[in-house]
Amino acid sequence: MDRENDRLDVLFIEYRKIVIRNAYLFVKDYYIAEDICQETFIRLERNLGTVPPEKVKGWLLCVSERLAIDYLRKGGKYKIHVGLDEAEWKPPPEDCADVSSLLEKKEEREQKGRVLKRLKREKPLWYETVCMSYLENMDNPSIGRELGVRPYLISKWKERAKLWLQNAFEEAYK
């Protein structure tokens, strides 16, 4: 348990500014963005065991974006909580990976990110469905209730999004 808290602290220090900035793009209020950041990390704490380490950043950005959009949909009817305290900075452990492999991984992540952005732009409901399903571990009925559609349609959107992503990635990066 203590090890998970240490990991959560390191993740918070590393990603809190990015999450706040991401939420701020939607809500245009720094203090609301801080609250969304806090809720995002609370949800991460609940799902820390299920989120792979290499997907934490994407998970945080997706969840904070969804929370910000949710906030806007509800017309700002969230309770405002006191902002997060500044934690003392601890440097992350040294990574001894080869620079060329790090650059290859970075390029691959950027390529995948471009394809995901294209999906978000062209098929926003499919993108939301994929994020809710794979990042937030929501089941089809829950996603259907959230988006106001039938669960059967959610499973079709996930299938189509998966095929669309495969084709788009192959097309863009042969």
Side-chain angles (χ1 to χ4, degrees), residues 102-117:
L102 286 174
L103 290 174
E104 288 174 10
K105 287 179 184 177
K106 181 182 179 198
E107 178 62 30
E108 185 179 333
R109 277 193 312 267
E110 288 173 355
Q111 290 172 346
K112 289 176 182 176
R114 285 190 284 271
V115 171
L116 278 173
K117 284 180 184 176

Side-chain angles (χ1 to χ4, degrees), residues 20-157:
I20 290 172
R21 208 173 305 133
N22 188 47
Y24 182 83
L25 290 172
F26 292 92
V27 297
K28 305 292 187 227
D29 183 316
Y30 180 78
Y31 298 105
I32 300 297
E34 267 189 341
D35 291 340
I36 290 171
C37 175
Q38 184 175 9
E39 178 62 28
T40 302
F41 277 94
I42 289 170
R43 291 186 183 194
L44 176 63
E45 181 181 24
R46 290 184 205 141
N47 295 300
L48 197 56
T50 62
V51 179
E54 65 274 5
K55 294 185 180 183
V56 168
K57 182 179 178 182
W59 189 94
L60 289 168
L61 292 175
C62 187
V63 171
S64 65
E65 179 179 322
R66 290 200 18 75
L67 287 171
I69 290 169
D70 208 30
Y71 172 84
L72 294 173
R73 281 186 190 148
K74 292 180 180 176
K77 294 180 183 171
Y78 280 162
K79 291 182 182 177
I80 304 301
H81 303 286
V82 178
L84 299 174
D85 294 332
E86 285 293 317
E88 225 176 283
W89 186 78
K90 296 178 196 173
E94 290 293 320
D95 190 10
C96 301
D98 182 28
V99 174
S100 62
S101 66
L102 286 174
L103 290 174
E104 288 174 10
K105 287 179 184 177
K106 181 182 179 198
E107 178 62 30
E108 185 179 333
R109 277 193 312 267
E110 288 173 355
Q111 290 172 346
K112 289 176 182 176
R114 285 190 284 271
V115 171
L116 278 173
K117 284 180 184 176
R118 194 171 133 212
L119 174 66
K120 183 177 179 181
R121 188 177 57 248
E122 294 178 19
K123 308 282 186 181
L125 288 174
W126 290 6
Y127 176 81
E128 287 291 318
T129 301
V130 168
C131 288
M132 286 182 200
S133 179
Y134 296 106
L135 294 177
E136 295 184 44
N137 295 323
M138 293 175 68
D139 59 358
N140 290 352
S142 300
I143 297 170
R145 279 192 299 276
E146 184 78 24
L147 296 178
V149 296
R150 293 184 177 175
Y152 174 76
L153 187 57
I154 298 301
S155 65
K156 284 296 181 190
W157 284 353

